[in-house]
Amino acid sequence: MKSVESRKVDTVELVKEYLENPVYKEATIVQAEILRSIRKVLDEKGFVELLPVTVSPITDPLNHPHFGTEFEYYGQKYSVTKSMILHKQVAVLVHKKIYIVSPNVRLETEDKMNTGRHLFDFVQIDMEMLEASREEVFDVMEDAIIYTVEKIKEKYPDIIEKYHPTLKTPSKPFKRYTVKELKEKYGDDYEKKASLDVDEPFWMIDIPLMEREFYDKQDPERPEVLLDFDLIYPEGFEEAISGGEREHEYEQIIKRMKLKNTPPEEFEEYLKVAKAGLLKHSAGCGIGVERFTRWILGLDHVENTRLFAKTPGKHSI
Ligand code: AMP
Ligand code: MG
């Protein structure tokens, strides 16, 4: 990894920036309300909040470089958590509806420095529901987002007026568009273009089979697509949420791993549970907290939505 020396910001300067630029204080006030509001909606719907897993022998296979985020400890190989997806599939067997305010470390490369959307240490609110369809996940998350936006507008009108006066509370149900439809309408850069073209968040559904990991469920009726989805923010803010219905049958999981060239030996512990027939159908998703804050305030970069943000390739504390 390239040294950050060339763009090193002095730590004292960074702390002064936190004290002098009001965005950090205002964004974290809004962010605290996001956490409070989403928790309230999920708690009232009967979800149980679980503690995050920070190191584990099983974590999502997302293709990020490791750079020392893996270690061996008393004979077991651990990785810092990139995603709790596989743990959610187990946890949902204990409680039918769960969520975790989950820190994820994904060592994004420095070309992501200025996307405005990437940190290499971020937090997602990760939820999962047993025996649920993706429609049921949409219903819960739409309620959570609408409640949160309303609450923030009601409690912090001055902050919203200052940063994002045109912020619109979305109406339920959010629109759904298939990836196929979006590609036909907008071409290759469909996610960005569609996001710029709308003024309310929408669900992007039917993501092509090879574009996602083995745990997102293949549609049994249309095997070329997955029963998964993203939520896309309006006004060019792009991806808010990813989620889907999940694979739970051992043979199907192995088939999907082969298709994606995912080495099964890296998921030995997870596969043991699948092989024992313990997993069940579930659906869920994760919403990025910094990105939600960024959209609500209409900010350029997620690094301004929190203290101690970790931007790929930049000096941080
Ligand atoms: P994923 O399942 O990988 O799509 O992650 C779930 C959600 O977390 C995404 O929809 C984003 O809102 C958020 N997220 C993912 N990667 C990052 C990142 N590098 N920086 C900030 N937020 C992220
Ligand atoms: Mg995603």
Side-chain angles (χ1 to χ4, degrees):
M1 186 125 269
K2 219 166 152 190
S3 158
V4 296
E5 215 53 43
S6 57
R7 53 181 92 88
K8 191 161 182 156
V9 180
D10 180 67
T11 295
V12 172
E13 290 302 312
L14 197 53
V15 175
K16 281 188 185 162
E17 160 90 2
Y18 291 152
L19 301 178
E20 284 161 14
N21 188 339
V23 73
Y24 295 98
K25 188 169 183 179
E26 286 157 343
T28 45
I29 286 173
V30 164
Q31 193 163 79
E33 188 57 53
I34 289 177
L35 292 168
R36 215 164 20 239
S37 290
I38 297 187
R39 278 190 165 112
K40 180 176 158 60
V41 172
L42 295 180
D43 292 349
E44 280 178 1
K45 288 178 186 288
F47 282 73
V48 176
E49 178 174 0
L50 301 178
L51 292 175
V53 167
T54 52
V55 293
S56 166
I58 50 167
T59 186
D60 178 297
L62 293 161
N63 286 326
H64 296 97
H66 299 310
F67 298 119
T69 54
E70 292 184 332
F71 61 94
E72 219 173 289
Y73 185 66
Y74 291 120
Q76 248 194 316
K77 210 173 141 193
Y78 288 86
S79 166
V80 175
T81 301
K82 296 177 217 155
S83 152
M84 277 185 61
I85 171 64
L86 305 175
H87 298 91
K88 286 199 303 176
Q89 281 193 274
V90 173
V92 83
L93 303 171
V94 178
H95 298 284
K96 290 184 174 155
K97 299 188 219 174
I98 53 127
Y99 71 94
I100 310 107
V101 179
S102 176
N104 291 179
V105 175
R106 300 184 189 167
L107 299 186
E108 311 277 4
T109 44
E110 63 180 353
D111 52 301
K112 302 267 174 60
M113 187 194 294
N114 297 317
T115 61
R117 293 179 292 128
H118 291 91
L119 299 175
F120 65 86
D121 174 13
F122 66 94
V123 175
Q124 59 168 313
I125 301 177
D126 217 357
M127 59 84 97
E128 197 74 18
M129 303 164 74
L130 192 68
E131 308 287 10
S133 66
R134 65 179 170 186
E135 290 295 327
E136 290 170 87
V137 176
F138 291 170
D139 185 56
V140 170
M141 294 313 290
E142 288 178 11
D143 285 348
I145 289 168
I146 291 168
Y147 179 84
T148 304
V149 173
E150 282 287 279
K151 199 64 179 175
I152 289 169
K153 285 167 91 167
E154 177 195 313
K155 278 181 82 172
Y156 306 108
D158 297 348
I159 298 181
I160 294 305
E161 188 53 33
K162 175 174 173 186
Y163 290 96
H164 198 173
T166 58
L167 180 68
K168 198 175 156 195
T169 307
S171 42
K172 208 178 162 186
F174 297 1
K175 294 208 169 68
R176 288 119 216 243
Y177 301 110
T178 65
V179 168
K180 191 162 173 273
E181 277 175 306
L182 294 171
K183 277 187 183 160
E184 277 162 17
K185 184 159 180 199
Y186 298 103
D188 280 347
D189 201 11
Y190 58 92
E191 192 176 317
K192 177 90 198 166
K193 287 183 179 148
S195 171
L196 282 165
D197 205 24
V198 297
D199 66 354
E200 290 200 17
F202 68 87
W203 298 107
M204 179 171 88
I205 58 170
D206 293 354
I207 294 169
L209 175 68
M210 294 303 285
E211 288 182 20
R212 291 286 154 92
E213 301 298 339
F214 63 83
Y215 46 77
D216 279 345
K217 193 173 175 63
Q218 188 172 19
D219 187 338
E221 262 123 58
R222 299 167 307 153
E224 69 285 1
V225 295
L226 298 167
L227 290 173
D228 66 353
F229 54 84
D230 278 1
L231 182 77
I232 307 297
Y233 288 127
E235 303 160 285
F237 288 94
E238 297 186 67
E239 183 191 323
I241 288 179
S242 286
E245 295 185 25
R246 316 299 184 188
E247 298 288 11
H248 67 285
E249 289 160 332
Y250 178 74
E251 293 303 333
Q252 173 69 4
I253 293 171
I254 292 287
K255 195 180 109 194
R256 296 287 311 287
M257 281 184 160
K258 282 194 181 135
L259 264 177
K260 289 283 289 188
N261 283 328
T262 304
E265 56 281 9
E266 287 183 16
F267 297 92
E268 215 180 318
E269 305 306 317
Y270 170 73
L271 287 171
K272 278 183 197 163
V273 182
K275 198 168 187 177
L278 294 172
L279 297 181
K280 291 186 179 159
H281 180 72
S282 67
C285 70
I287 179 163
V289 175
E290 294 90 345
R291 289 190 189 179
F292 196 7
T293 317
R294 176 186 179 232
W295 171 58
I296 288 197
L297 292 180
L299 298 174
D300 284 342
H301 203 296
V302 277
E303 70 187 0
N304 297 124
T305 71
R306 59 176 292 172
L307 299 177
F308 321 119
K310 306 292 186 298
T311 309
K314 272 198 189 171
H315 179 80
S316 57
I317 56 173

